[in-house]
Amino acid sequence: MKINAFNKLIFFVVTGLLTGCDPGFSNSVGDGPAADAGSADFSSYVAIGDSLTAGFADGALYPHAQRNSLPAILAQQFALAGGGEFDQPLLPDGATGSLTIGVTPLGRIDRLVLV
């Protein structure tokens, strides 16, 4: 029984060594072809969703997270392929989207910060 388990271990180690992938790339990341839209039309783009689509992060909604939301990232990529400008409604700087009256905070810091 011990010999059979040892043989399986050797088999998987040898197989892993022989079929391991090559870590090198033939081209650097920036050397690829320019973005091409092909037949797709990226001139208009609408993002519909929930709080994650809006940029909810760190327990609150705030402008920095909105600028790094999935729709904003997609719009940046669409712009490389000829897409139009993406108008995203952002909260005012310094405001969060929870526990506020207008833009005035209610005495609580909503955004979690990892230090």
Side-chain angles (χ1 to χ4, degrees), residues 8-103:
K8 286 181 182 179
L9 177 67
I10 294 295
F11 172 77
F12 286 119
V13 168
V14 170
T15 303
L17 290 173
L18 292 177
T19 61
C21 61
D22 181 21
F25 294 103
S26 58
N27 298 350
S28 68
V29 177
D31 292 344
D36 181 22
S39 62
D41 179 19
F42 294 115
S43 62
S44 65
Y45 165 59
V46 177
I48 299 174
D50 58 358
S51 59
L52 297 176
T53 307
F56 186 84
D58 299 333
L61 185 64
Y62 55 97
H64 179 71
Q66 287 182 297
R67 288 185 194 100
N68 294 310
S69 65
L70 178 63
I73 293 171
L74 285 174
Q76 291 170 4
Q77 296 302 311
F78 294 158
L80 296 175
E85 183 179 340
F86 183 62
D87 276 337
Q88 183 178 20
L90 298 174
L91 288 171
D93 284 333
T96 62
S98 63
L99 292 178
T100 59
I101 297 175
V103 183

